[in-house]
Amino acid sequence: MTASSLAFPVAWRSRRRLPARVEAIRDLRGSVERCAQHAGLDGDALGLFVVACVEAFTNVVRHGRGRPAGAPIELLISAERDALVVELVHAGEAFDAPQRTPPVELAHYPEGGLGLFIMQAAADRVEHEHAGGLNTVRLTHWPAPRHA
């Protein structure tokens, strides 16, 4: 497997501000799907990555603390040769995410409580950063090897 066999076909960036409301999930989903498809994702890889991004957005909206009233969530999507990256940037208190979530026993979670687990299972990398009063949730997907 060579470096060139692990690459998206194009490089580009997208930036959008979304209201910090659950109703904005449709816009987030559409933006991520379009950009991921443009980067060459399809099938299960596309579906799983979109679900991870929706979970991240939902967590920011429902669990973010200290966000000023009316402050948006900035959606940044970029595709480079070696990664598709979605970032959600929002004002608020720092979130100290666990490095890895413990194994999940679904019988104990009838509704909710699975967001971090889903994100970590569906994205290749999930990062949380806080600097200057801004939180960034970054989800990364690396392309699958292409067979010649």
Side-chain angles (χ1 to χ4, degrees):
M1 178 174 5
T2 66
S4 63
S5 68
L6 289 173
F8 287 113
V10 294
W12 48 265
R13 288 182 169 50
S14 172
R15 182 178 184 165
R16 190 165 179 204
R17 286 189 175 187
L18 298 171
R21 296 191 312 262
V22 173
E23 295 81 16
I25 288 173
R26 178 183 297 219
D27 292 336
L28 171 105
R29 177 184 293 274
S31 293
V32 172
E33 277 182 350
R34 280 188 301 278
C35 291
Q37 287 171 336
H38 186 70
L41 261 69
D42 59 12
D44 290 343
L46 171 65
L48 288 171
F49 190 68
V50 170
V51 166
C53 295
V54 167
E55 284 296 330
F57 184 83
T58 302
N59 283 351
V60 169
V61 170
R62 291 186 176 164
H63 306 297
R65 303 280 182 252
R67 183 175 48 252
I73 298 171
E74 190 155 10
L75 170 64
L76 305 164
I77 306 172
S78 62
E80 302 294 335
R81 286 188 49 79
D82 62 348
L84 175 66
V85 179
V86 171
E87 295 178 307
L88 300 171
V89 181
H90 59 99
E93 297 173 14
F95 173 67
D96 188 21
Q99 291 298 313
R100 291 298 287 170
T101 55
V104 173
E105 181 60 46
L106 294 178
H108 296 112
Y109 293 94
E111 184 177 326
L114 295 174
L116 293 175
F117 173 79
I118 290 169
M119 289 164 48
Q120 291 174 344
D124 291 320
R125 181 188 300 161
V126 179
E127 301 166 278
H128 297 267
E129 297 175 358
H130 181 81
L134 294 176
N135 289 294
T136 301
V137 181
R138 182 176 303 110
L139 297 103
T140 302
H141 174 80
W142 293 301
R146 294 190 185 148
H147 302 290

